[in-house]
Amino acid sequence: MRLSGIGVGRAVATGPVRRMPDPLPEPPEHETVADQDAEVARTRSALQQVAAELTERGARAGGDAKNVLDAQALMAEDPTLVDDVIARIENGRTGQRAVHEAFFEFQVMLVGLGGYMAERATDLGDVAQRVIARLTGVPAPGVPESDTPFVLVARDLAPADTALLDLDKVLALLTRDGGPTSHTAILARARSIPAIVGVGDADSLRDGQQVIVNAGTGAIDVDPTDQEVAEAKALIEERRAAANAPITPGALGDGTKVQLLANIGGAKDAAKAAELGAEGVGLFRTEFLFLDSKSAPTVQQQKEQYVAALKAFPGKKVVVRALDAGADKPLAFLNDSEEENPALGLRGLRVLREHEDILREQLTALAEAGAETEADLWVMAPMVSEPEESEYFVALARELGIKVPGVMVEVPSAALLAEQILESADFVSIGTNDLTQYTLAADRLLGTVAGFQDPWHPAVLRLVAEVGRAGRAAGKSVGICGEAAADPGLAVVLVGLGATSLSMTPAALADVRAELLTVTKEQAEARAKAALGASSAAGARAAAAALAETAAA
Ligand code: PEP
Ligand code: MG
């Protein structure tokens, strides 16, 4: 039997399935409690035990996982939440129902705040499930413990689960939900875990069943024959060797250069990016530095951060994005108005223009940092929808000493008018995450419409083709810096559509580098043409894959 979904990366794995337990049922609303004091004591103790267990797991795991788990432990002991739980028990609820209601209400509030806060809501839900499991005497949900390696199958994973996966145990990850740009996919890619998301029939897999997972093709072979397992093992070795191949500059098999760059959020990511062979930075998300700032950072504060990041890339290109505030990344000092649809609101360059003093300070800090370091500094504006906005940004950036100003293409109108935009901008970089969100009219943060958030969609590819054509005509660089660039198969198609550089999470560089080497420019263009002719994302994937298979045969 063969199941299929959307692969992340190109690795192959084989092993037995272990299922993640399904979420617990909602505790009933109208159960009565005989002794309220005893119920309060029992619930307090469960909250404390869960906090202690999370802290202890964090200490064992270390690193980023420790931060995630320590934050969860604090949630379990948060005084406001604990008081709310107790008040509900005193109003006649059982401990488990009180925990469910209090945590859920808090989750809804976090989701309402959006962005970073909304992501914490999943972690909070996970804490509630652990406490309820303890109170009702059932096993805690979460990644199963095992002494031997396994292929983890889940409906979806909380960010904390993905961050904590033990890479010696989890051979691969299969989820029923989630799209190619879901958090699970992004985290799996960042941690180099072979994964296939959106596996519609994942619920049919049983504990202990053997599977072969091929993230490159998105196929899962269930109960394979010995012969198939032997072939998979040979492929695993081949892919491993390719991923560990010497780091060479990005290029197609015929030598056509494709710069491979890294997406970073600050100097802390720069060293790792350089180590994994990034030829520079294609997207430095500067707003990540100031997510917690209440007031605008000073020129000096910014300059220190920029110098630290630029120093990691002497002589190399570093594309810095001006603050992209709003929607999924609100900044307190820029986004102060209530908006019904923040993704369609005053965000990116639109809000910077309203606060031109902040934009001027950022460009000044960048120009000074550029002058003090050896990096080849490029600076771009986010969320540009019109040529006039490009003219505005480019003129201001030049006035303040930026030598290479450009803009991001994330809105369909900007893609359609790329030719006019390139009359002012020195370069463009396509943000496929937002471009997909706006082309398919599907909120990138909303799980219910995740199925639309697929950059393989031919409508998105046609817009990329339009930008590629404009870039070629103007002789200017067309980068890709959304998640799409990290998908090896799609990376080939994007180059076929005219992308001259690809920027991605550093962990994806090796896979993309290896895949590009398997095609010539002509083959990449043929795959692009095939994908453009499809009428759905799945059709585009299949059309490109069919050509890849023919080439491999
Ligand atoms: C994008 O939209 O594709 C992009 C690269 O920017 P961000 O994901 O930060 O919005
Ligand atoms: Mg964007």
Side-chain angles (χ1 to χ4, degrees):
M1 182 173 59
R2 175 170 275 199
L3 309 182
S4 65
I6 296 164
V8 178
R10 66 199 287 279
V12 177
T14 181
V17 162
R18 284 296 302 268
R19 290 196 60 88
M20 180 123 155
D22 288 338
L24 303 174
E26 188 177 316
E29 195 179 344
H30 297 296
E31 259 176 355
T32 45
V33 175
D35 179 348
Q36 271 180 3
D37 288 344
E39 192 68 3
V40 167
R42 191 175 82 88
T43 309
R44 268 192 197 281
S45 154
L47 286 159
Q48 282 159 1
Q49 284 170 15
V50 166
E53 175 197 286
L54 289 165
T55 310
E56 193 260 328
R57 275 179 64 204
R60 258 192 292 143
D64 284 350
K66 180 172 180 336
N67 297 339
V68 175
L69 288 167
D70 282 351
Q72 280 195 305
L74 287 177
M75 292 173 184
E77 290 188 308
D78 181 274
T80 320
L81 260 172
V82 173
D83 285 352
D84 188 4
V85 169
I86 289 164
R88 286 170 198 269
I89 298 173
E90 287 167 353
N91 268 332
R93 297 286 194 244
T94 59
Q96 51 270 31
R97 180 70 198 181
V99 168
H100 167 79
E101 288 179 5
F103 277 65
F104 184 70
E105 209 161 89
F106 210 75
Q107 268 185 295
V108 171
M109 190 195 78
L110 288 180
V111 170
L113 291 174
Y116 173 83
M117 286 306 192
E119 282 168 30
R120 301 284 75 74
T122 315
D123 293 343
L124 192 67
D126 179 60
V127 175
Q129 292 264 306
R130 287 177 188 284
V131 180
I132 294 169
R134 209 167 256 279
L135 286 168
T136 50
V138 300
V143 179
E145 302 266 329
S146 167
D147 292 334
T148 50
F150 58 94
V151 172
L152 180 63
V153 178
R155 284 191 177 175
D156 202 359
L157 290 184
D161 287 327
T162 319
L164 275 170
L165 289 182
D166 176 351
L167 297 186
D168 290 333
K169 292 284 156 50
V170 178
L171 298 163
L173 178 60
L174 304 178
T175 66
R176 188 193 67 180
D177 300 338
T181 49
S182 61
H183 279 285
T184 306
I186 291 170
L187 278 170
R189 186 172 284 130
R191 298 199 63 208
S192 301
I193 304 169
I196 303 185
V197 298
V199 183
D201 293 324
D203 286 347
S204 67
L205 292 167
R206 294 283 151 256
D207 272 347
Q209 238 173 346
Q210 292 291 320
V211 287
I212 296 172
V213 178
N214 186 337
T217 60
I220 303 133
D221 287 315
V222 186
D223 299 326
T225 61
D226 290 349
Q227 165 79 12
E228 285 167 336
V229 171
E231 283 167 12
K233 287 193 170 151
L235 202 52
I236 291 171
E237 278 318 308
E238 198 181 291
R239 293 279 155 94
R240 202 170 277 154
N244 293 326
I247 292 170
T248 47
L252 302 182
D254 59 10
T256 308
K257 294 258 173 289
V258 183
Q259 235 179 10
L260 294 181
L261 307 167
N263 290 353
I264 65 167
K268 62 178 191 343
D269 306 331
K272 183 88 186 150
E275 185 191 313
L276 291 170
E279 294 168 57
V281 170
L283 172 63
F284 177 0
R285 290 181 161 107
T286 56
E287 61 284 352
F288 280 15
L289 297 171
F290 308 113
L291 285 175
D292 297 324
S293 305
K294 294 277 168 287
S295 54
T298 64
V299 171
Q300 189 54 32
Q301 281 166 342
Q302 294 190 60
K303 190 171 141 188
E304 280 164 22
Q305 301 267 10
Y306 304 148
V307 166
L310 292 178
K311 272 194 173 152
F313 294 95
K316 306 253 178 77
K317 169 164 136 184
V318 177
V319 184
V320 180
R321 170 168 78 186
L323 295 169
D324 183 17
D328 53 320
K329 297 171 293 241
L331 292 181
F333 53 91
L334 279 169
N335 309 105
D336 47 12
S337 55
E338 274 290 320
E339 293 179 327
E340 191 96 356
N341 294 304
L344 304 180
L346 206 57
R347 58 166 297 200
L349 182 63
R350 300 171 183 182
V351 74
L352 286 173
R353 215 168 167 176
E354 290 279 308
H355 297 266
E356 196 183 281
D357 49 331
I358 294 181
L359 175 57
R360 281 181 173 269
E361 284 178 1
Q362 183 175 30
L363 293 170
T364 303
L366 281 166
E368 288 179 11
E372 273 183 27
T373 54
E374 306 292 313
D376 175 17
L377 173 67
W378 297 23
V379 179
M380 62 185 181
M383 265 295 282
V384 165
S385 13
E386 297 203 286
E388 186 276 332
E389 290 178 282
S390 172
E391 284 162 27
Y392 162 80
F393 179 78
V394 168
L396 188 66
R398 285 202 209 286
E399 176 198 323
L400 296 169
I402 300 298
K403 298 203 178 72
V404 191
V407 304
M408 289 189 74
V409 173
E410 310 183 87
V411 184
S413 56
L416 293 167
L417 296 184
E419 197 181 308
Q420 286 93 322
I421 283 183
L422 279 166
E423 283 171 15
S424 57
D426 282 352
F427 70 97
V428 288
S429 181
I430 306 177
T432 50
N433 307 334
D434 276 316
L435 186 61
T436 309
Q437 141 162 287
Y438 296 127
T439 304
L440 276 300
D443 187 336
R444 64 192 267 193
L445 296 178
L446 212 56
T448 47
V449 292
F452 292 102
Q453 183 70 33
D454 191 333
W456 273 94
H457 199 285
V460 178
L461 299 182
R462 283 183 191 213
L463 291 170
V464 174
E466 193 58 37
V467 184
R469 202 188 47 71
R472 253 192 315 271
K476 292 184 176 178
S477 148
V478 174
I480 308 275
C481 62
E483 281 298 310
D487 171 339
L490 185 49
V492 167
V493 167
L494 294 169
V495 171
L497 293 172
T500 54
S501 67
L502 301 169
S503 189
M504 63 203 79
T505 176
L509 286 163
D511 275 354
V512 172
R513 183 183 297 114
E515 188 74 19
L516 292 181
L517 283 169
T518 65
V519 293
T520 61
K521 184 144 190 277
E522 212 175 302
Q523 285 170 323
E525 285 170 354
R527 285 193 209 173
K529 190 161 172 239
L532 280 178
S535 57
S536 66
R541 264 196 190 83
L547 287 183
E549 267 174 41
T550 322

